[in-house]
Amino acid sequence: MQNTVVVTDLIAVGLKRGFDELLSFGVANGSSTMNSSTPTANGNDNKKFKGDRPPCSPSRVLHLRKIPCDVTEAEVISLGLPFGRVTNLLMLKGKSQAFLEMASEEAAVTMVNYYTPVTPHLRSQPVYIQYSNHRELKTDNLPNQARAQAALQAVSAVQSGNLALHGAPSNEATILPGQSPVLRIIIENLFYPVTLEVLHQIFSKFGTVLKIITFTKNNQFQALLQYADPVNAHYAKMALDGQNIYNACCTLRIDFSKLTSLNVKYNNDKSRDFTRLDLPSGDGQPSLEPPMAAAFGAPGIISSPYAGAAGFAPAIGFPQATGLSVPAVPGALGPLALTSSAITGRMAIPGASGIPGNSVLLVTNLNPDLITPHGLFILFGVYGDVHRVKIMFNKKENALVQMADANQAQLAMNHLSGQRLYGKVLRATLSKHQTVQLPREGQEDQGLTKDFSNSPLHRFKKPGSKNFQNIFPPSATLHLSNIPPSVTMDDLKNLFTEAGCSVKAFKFFQKDRKMALIQLGSVEEAIQALIELHNHDLGENHHLRVSFSKSTI
């Protein structure tokens, strides 16, 4: 069933109802429509809008309330950018409301799930987002839509690298002749680690990144980043200079480099040439080419910027500022090429203190015949230290997992929700519970509740641990470590085969035979193998360490 609505007449009348409900009323002039597959309520029911209406089913059209009256179209669009392509926008500033249409329902669901535990802000004011009961937003013939359409076109152009940012002064939008495609990036207030992958994910939104070199100079973490085109470097500098990567710290200071090209010798965690996958990994400490060292006075050896960095980074992302702000958000979010391998936190929200939300996850759609508290402890422990696990006594396909803090809970949720485990698609959301209660003495539990607070298997107890830099999404390739000298490739391949895995490839690290990569038949196989074989006793007082790898063999 489709409902035809004329928005302009409703605005003129100035009805005092939520705009999402106003769209449910048919009006004679049929120039513009919003389509809905949901039957509409009558006028009396619409009065329940103020918080009483049950939530709508997912839709790619989102209803935004409490937007500031002076907010720009670009700022509203920026709320949706990290989650996918924004295809349409309808603003009703007089009612402090707006509608945002995403390219897919999946992108809209991700956006709503993300903003549910932590309220986004525009111009320091909280904004509330929910699904609209309409499935499509049509604004072709509406008046006052020129600004919205211009903002949408500007966003599309920026993503494709063809236009300056919407709202930028004309003098800033001018690309100087001979301008370098190489940016020099300085990270100020480096309270949490910033990896090469994080930089790549952030800057890739503005164009193709060809090469990155990171180094430390004058006790500051710095990077050189080369785009395919100077235009991309220009847009990135305009949008990102002065932004915080993490909440209230790790500030980006960006300038154009005097270099016009970077010469990368090694592909590792300090430098990367994305056009040369054949480069060796070196010893992890690649040297700068002489021209680069001369340009920046950098030492011959690039030192690690991560020494002493402790704990998980809190919220990741860029606060909503004037003009077009493009926040970085965790999770695999499609068109912006934001992959969760680089991100270890969540969006910074202006005015928010600490990490909102709680540390307990509700995990649903588990296989009740195969899942155990220990299995959930091992799996979720890849993304944080699990303190307690409780599988529901009367509904064993559901479980509660308590992480060490809210940020770890968010990280685990972003990486694991939607992954297949024992034939079922796991779902993880933030729970309403603040802690997982242990069973009372004498209470029947069947071993479904476990306390892992003091487990020696926690990966992140040690401040500054390298594990903080090696958090990647589930993949078919696993990283193995702590392998004793007597264990051979066949031993390890047989171990995984006996666990029910199909081994596709295997490779020991050339310079450190205590580590290896093993590629299995699917991501699901790798997840199950990690659960079963992490901490497996290999003899000689060696227990196998298993984690997901960003590499392939």
Side-chain angles (χ1 to χ4, degrees):
M1 171 182 177
Q2 292 188 336
N3 302 314
T4 303
V5 184
V6 176
V7 178
T8 51
D9 290 349
L10 298 176
I11 297 172
V13 173
L15 297 176
K16 302 297 184 182
R17 297 187 180 94
F19 187 58
D20 199 19
E21 305 307 23
L22 294 178
L23 293 171
S24 299
F25 288 83
V27 184
N29 184 342
S31 62
S32 178
T33 65
M34 289 186 74
N35 293 335
S36 171
S37 59
T38 306
T40 59
N42 59 38
N44 293 329
D45 288 339
N46 288 336
K47 294 177 182 178
K48 296 181 180 180
F49 175 76
K50 301 276 186 183
D52 291 335
R53 191 186 70 179
C56 297
S57 59
S59 165
R60 67 190 184 101
V61 179
L62 299 174
H63 177 209
L64 284 66
R65 296 181 290 121
K66 306 284 189 183
I67 65 171
C69 60
D70 57 347
V71 75
T72 67
E73 286 80 357
E75 288 175 87
V76 175
I77 292 170
S78 72
L79 290 177
L81 277 180
F83 305 94
R85 189 164 58 90
V86 178
T87 51
N88 211 344
L89 171 68
L90 181 62
M91 302 277 285
L92 189 61
K93 291 185 179 180
K95 294 189 177 297
S96 299
Q97 299 185 33
F99 287 85
L100 201 66
E101 181 186 271
M102 304 299 292
S104 68
E105 184 177 299
E106 181 183 8
V109 169
T110 304
M111 180 173 170
V112 170
N113 288 345
Y114 184 78
Y115 287 131
T116 296
V118 53
T119 305
H121 287 62
L122 288 175
R123 301 195 176 221
S124 300
Q125 293 187 33
V127 177
Y128 301 96
I129 301 175
Q130 63 191 38
Y131 298 116
S132 168
N133 59 349
H134 300 279
R135 304 298 177 190
E136 185 179 6
L137 181 61
K138 291 188 176 180
T139 59
D140 298 344
N141 300 315
L142 282 181
N144 304 319
Q145 274 294 103
R147 286 176 58 88
Q149 294 306 312
L152 288 166
Q153 292 171 12
V155 169
S156 175
V158 166
Q159 291 177 353
S160 60
N162 296 322
L163 188 69
L165 288 173
H166 178 70
S170 57
N171 61 334
E172 288 187 8
T174 303
I175 307 289
L176 298 176
Q179 182 172 288
S180 172
V182 178
L183 294 176
R184 180 191 184 188
I185 304 159
I186 298 175
I187 311 293
E188 294 182 350
N189 193 18
L190 185 72
F191 190 71
Y192 293 99
V194 175
T195 65
L196 183 148
E197 283 81 8
V198 166
L199 293 174
H200 182 257
Q201 296 302 325
I202 292 171
F203 283 83
S204 288
K205 290 180 293 181
F206 296 89
T208 302
V209 175
L210 300 183
K211 304 170 186 178
I212 302 177
I213 295 175
T214 65
F215 56 97
T216 297
K217 177 191 172 187
N218 298 331
N219 293 320
Q220 285 186 313
F221 176 47
Q222 303 189 25
L224 297 171
L225 184 145
Q226 180 180 340
Y227 277 106
D229 193 303
V231 173
N232 305 129
H234 178 80
Y235 299 146
K237 181 182 184 298
M238 286 174 58
L240 301 178
D241 188 25
Q243 298 277 23
N244 292 332
I245 297 178
Y246 298 118
N247 196 14
C249 67
C250 300
T251 306
L252 290 166
R253 301 298 180 195
I254 304 172
D255 209 341
F256 293 104
S257 170
K258 296 178 182 178
L259 301 169
T260 56
S261 181
L262 300 180
N263 189 355
V264 176
K265 289 185 174 182
Y266 304 105
N267 282 340
N268 52 36
D269 60 343
K270 305 297 186 298
S271 63
R272 196 78 49 84
D273 185 337
F274 297 96
T275 68
R276 291 280 311 277
L277 300 180
D278 59 322
L279 289 179
S281 61
D283 57 1
Q285 301 291 333
S287 58
L288 285 173
E289 286 294 289
M292 296 177 197
F296 292 101
I301 299 296
I302 299 174
S303 59
S304 169
Y306 307 122
F312 277 81
I316 185 170
F318 302 127
Q320 305 300 331
T322 55
L324 181 62
S325 172
V326 187
V329 177
L333 301 178
L336 290 182
L338 260 172
T339 63
S340 51
S341 62
I343 309 300
T344 61
R346 55 179 174 167
M347 182 178 293
I349 303 300
S353 58
I355 303 297
N358 64 54
S359 60
V360 179
L361 295 172
L362 172 63
V363 186
T364 59
N365 203 38
L366 298 167
N367 186 324
D369 298 323
L370 297 174
I371 200 63
T372 65
H374 178 77
L376 290 172
F377 164 71
I378 294 296
L379 178 58
F380 281 76
V382 173
Y383 301 106
D385 292 337
V386 177
H387 283 190
R388 293 178 180 178
V389 176
K390 184 184 191 72
I391 295 177
M392 303 301 187
F393 185 79
N394 294 319
K395 201 170 184 182
K396 293 184 173 61
E397 61 269 26
N398 295 344
L400 295 175
V401 177
Q402 182 177 338
M403 308 296 290
D405 60 46
N407 191 71
Q408 294 184 17
Q410 185 78 33
L411 184 61
M413 180 177 74
N414 291 333
H415 281 298
L416 295 176
S417 189
Q419 297 291 342
R420 291 187 65 85
L421 175 62
Y422 300 128
K424 303 190 73 173
V425 177
L426 176 154
R427 299 295 179 195
T429 58
L430 290 172
S431 170
K432 64 181 181 181
H433 299 284
Q434 298 298 313
T435 60
V436 171
Q437 297 294 329
L438 295 175
R440 295 186 299 273
E441 188 175 350
Q443 181 181 2
E444 185 181 3
D445 180 66
Q446 297 181 353
L448 298 177
T449 305
K450 296 289 185 182
D451 189 337
F452 298 99
S453 301
N454 298 314
S455 172
L457 297 183
H458 286 164
R459 297 176 187 245
F460 305 102
K461 283 193 299 187
K462 183 180 178 182
S465 166
K466 285 187 177 181
N467 290 334
F468 288 112
Q469 302 167 36
N470 295 307
I471 298 174
F472 305 111
S475 63
T477 304
L478 295 173
H479 180 276
L480 312 180
S481 61
N482 203 35
I483 304 169
S486 61
V487 172
T488 66
M489 176 178 68
D490 288 338
D491 292 333
L492 291 168
K493 290 172 71 173
N494 289 337
L495 178 65
F496 280 81
T497 301
E498 290 167 5
C501 304
S502 55
V503 177
K504 301 298 183 182
F506 183 94
K507 181 177 74 173
F508 275 113
F509 277 52
Q510 187 173 359
K511 294 190 175 182
D512 188 353
R513 206 179 168 283
K514 295 177 184 176
M515 297 190 292
L517 295 177
I518 188 167
Q519 188 172 328
L520 304 181
S522 66
V523 175
E524 183 179 8
E525 273 190 26
I527 291 174
Q528 292 166 195
L530 182 143
I531 290 174
E532 185 167 341
L533 296 177
H534 179 66
N535 201 45
H536 179 82
D537 190 351
L538 294 175
E540 302 177 37
N541 200 28
H542 283 68
H543 288 77
L544 185 65
R545 299 287 178 259
V546 185
S547 57
F548 298 114
S549 174
K550 65 180 177 181
S551 306
T552 56
I553 302 175

